[in-house]
Amino acid sequence: MLSRVANLTYWMARYLERAENSARILDVNTQLALESSMGVVNDARLWEPIIFALGDETIFKELYSETSERTVAEFVLFNPKNPNSVLSCINLARENARCIRDQISSDAWEQLNRLYLQMRGKTVADYRQTGTVEFLGRLRKSIQLFYGIAASMFPRNDAWQFYELGRFLERADNSSRLIDVKYFTLLPTVQAVGSTLDALQWGAVLRSCSAFEAFRKSRRGLINAERVLDYLILDEFFPRSIRFSIITAEESVRRITRDSDHHYSNAPSRSLGRLRADLDYLLIGDIVKFGLHEWIDQLQLSIARVHTDIESAFIDYDVERARILG
C-alpha cells in the first residue's frame, strides 16, 4: 500500500487513542482529587500531576499563569493551541480520515465527523455544567463507538494493520502515563503508603482504565500498588495493559511484513520483539526495585524508538532499497 495512506491511517488511530487516553487521565486525576485529604479541590498540587504525566509542562506554562482545575481541564480538553488536547487530536484524526475516505466506511467517517462536531465550540463551562464524570464518559463512549464501527467494517488488509499498530503503540505509551499520574499524586504522609487512601487511589486508577471489574475477576484479593501495577503493566490478556498493547503492535508489524514467528526482518519488528521479550520476563518486583517512574521513562523512550523505526521502515524509506512483499 502507499506509504502516504499507511501514515495517515497510523496517525488517525494514534490521535484518536491519544484523545481517549487524555480523557482517561483527566478522569483518574479528578477521582484522585476528590479522594485527596488536602481538602481544597482547586489546590494546584492536585492538578499538576496531569501536566507532569503528559509531559506538557513547557507549553502549559506558555499558555497559563496558574494551575487549577479550570486551566488544566481547558488545556487537556479544549485548547486548540495545545497540539495534544482532545479537540486538537480529534480534529487531526478527522483531517487524516478525510484524506483516506475511500479507505474507510461512510459510517466510520460520519461517526468521526459527529465526534468532532460534539467537541467543537465546547468550553470548560459546558464541561462543568454537564458534570465532569458524565462529560468524560460521553466523550469516551463516542470514541469507542468509532472503534466498534471500525472493528466491524474495516477489511483486515494492510490499512487495518497500520490502524491497529498506531492504536496499540499509542495505548502502551498512554497507559504508562495514566499510571504515572498516581506516582505524582501526593499522599499526606509517607506512612499513608499502603493505607486505605492509597488503596482507594489505586482503585481510581483501575476504574479509569475500565479495569476494575476485570482486575477483581482475574486477581481477586486486595488492591495495592504491586498487584495493580502487575495487572496494568504485565497482564497478557487485558486489552489496556502495556504488555497486551505491545504484543498486538508486534503482531500487526508481523502481518504487514509477512514475517513468520521468531523471524525479524526489519527494525520495527526487532524493536517491538525486544520490548515484548523484556515484558515477558519482567517481574513487578523488578520494576518497583528499579523505580516506577524511572522505569516508565525508559519504556516511553523505547516506544518512541519503535515509532522512529516504523517511520524509517514504512513511511519515509529509501525506495531503491525497499523490500517487495508478495
Side-chain angles (χ1 to χ4, degrees), residues 202 219 224-231 284-285 288:
W202 282 113
R219 304 302 165 96
N224 59 36
E226 289 201 6
R227 288 166 56 78
V228 172
L229 290 172
D230 186 55
Y231 192 64
I284 200 63
V288 173

Side-chain angles (χ1 to χ4, degrees), residues 172 230-249 275-282 295 299:
D230 186 55
Y231 192 64
L232 294 181
I233 294 174
L234 299 179
D235 192 84
E236 186 179 356
F237 304 106
F238 180 59
R240 302 201 72 83
S241 81
I242 292 171
R243 186 179 173 201
F244 182 96
S245 300
I246 295 299
I247 289 171
T248 308
L275 189 51
R276 192 256 311 142
D278 287 344
L279 291 166
D280 283 348
Y281 293 102
L282 199 59
W295 184 84
L299 174 74

Side-chain angles (χ1 to χ4, degrees), residues 232-289:
L232 294 181
I233 294 174
L234 299 179
D235 192 84
E236 186 179 356
F237 304 106
F238 180 59
R240 302 201 72 83
S241 81
I242 292 171
R243 186 179 173 201
F244 182 96
S245 300
I246 295 299
I247 289 171
T248 308
E250 185 188 16
E251 182 61 27
S252 291
V253 170
R254 193 179 298 284
R255 289 179 184 278
I256 290 167
T257 58
R258 317 292 194 265
D259 275 351
S260 56
D261 289 348
H262 309 298
H263 176 66
Y264 304 95
S265 66
N266 54 82
S269 286
R270 288 190 287 274
S271 301
L272 281 165
R274 273 193 294 269
L275 189 51
R276 192 256 311 142
D278 287 344
L279 291 166
D280 283 348
Y281 293 102
L282 199 59
L283 296 174
I284 200 63
D286 299 331
I287 296 175
V288 173
K289 187 176 179 181

Side-chain angles (χ1 to χ4, degrees), residues 94-280:
R94 177 173 171 267
E95 288 305 311
N96 281 20
R98 184 198 298 279
C99 298
I100 51 170
R101 281 197 62 177
D102 59 332
Q103 303 285 327
I104 63 177
S105 70
S106 57
D107 285 342
W109 163 251
E110 287 169 10
Q111 175 56 25
L112 192 47
N113 205 36
R114 194 176 299 118
L115 179 59
Y116 171 72
L117 296 175
Q118 175 188 328
M119 283 297 292
R120 190 182 65 173
K122 287 286 191 301
T123 64
V124 173
D126 299 308
Y127 169 67
R128 285 175 166 170
Q129 186 176 10
T130 305
T132 57
V133 175
E134 180 70 19
F135 188 96
L136 296 172
R138 287 182 191 176
L139 175 61
R140 289 206 310 268
K141 286 175 183 173
S142 293
I143 296 173
Q144 287 164 357
L145 180 55
F146 176 87
Y147 294 156
I149 293 170
S152 62
M153 295 186 174
F154 280 16
R156 278 8 182 209
N157 53 18
D158 283 349
W160 170 261
Q161 300 305 334
F162 277 104
Y163 169 83
E164 287 284 270
L165 176 58
R167 183 181 169 199
F168 280 93
L169 197 62
E170 183 72 26
R171 180 173 293 183
D173 180 81
N174 280 282
S175 291
S176 72
R177 295 180 189 278
L178 205 147
I179 293 168
D180 224 13
V181 171
K182 176 65 176 77
Y183 169 83
F184 284 115
T185 301
L186 298 177
L187 286 168
T189 62
V190 175
Q191 288 71 29
V193 175
S195 67
T196 302
L197 175 61
D198 197 30
L200 285 171
Q201 291 184 343
W202 282 113
V205 174
L206 282 172
R207 287 190 182 86
S208 294
C209 292
S210 303
F212 191 81
E213 291 82 5
F215 173 85
R216 284 294 198 193
K217 289 176 184 173
S218 171
R219 304 302 165 96
R220 306 179 187 276
L222 295 173
I223 294 177
N224 59 36
E226 289 201 6
R227 288 166 56 78
V228 172
L229 290 172
D230 186 55
Y231 192 64
L232 294 181
I233 294 174
L234 299 179
D235 192 84
E236 186 179 356
F237 304 106
F238 180 59
R240 302 201 72 83
S241 81
I242 292 171
R243 186 179 173 201
F244 182 96
S245 300
I246 295 299
I247 289 171
T248 308
E250 185 188 16
E251 182 61 27
S252 291
V253 170
R254 193 179 298 284
R255 289 179 184 278
I256 290 167
T257 58
R258 317 292 194 265
D259 275 351
S260 56
D261 289 348
H262 309 298
H263 176 66
Y264 304 95
S265 66
N266 54 82
S269 286
R270 288 190 287 274
S271 301
L272 281 165
R274 273 193 294 269
L275 189 51
R276 192 256 311 142
D278 287 344
L279 291 166
D280 283 348

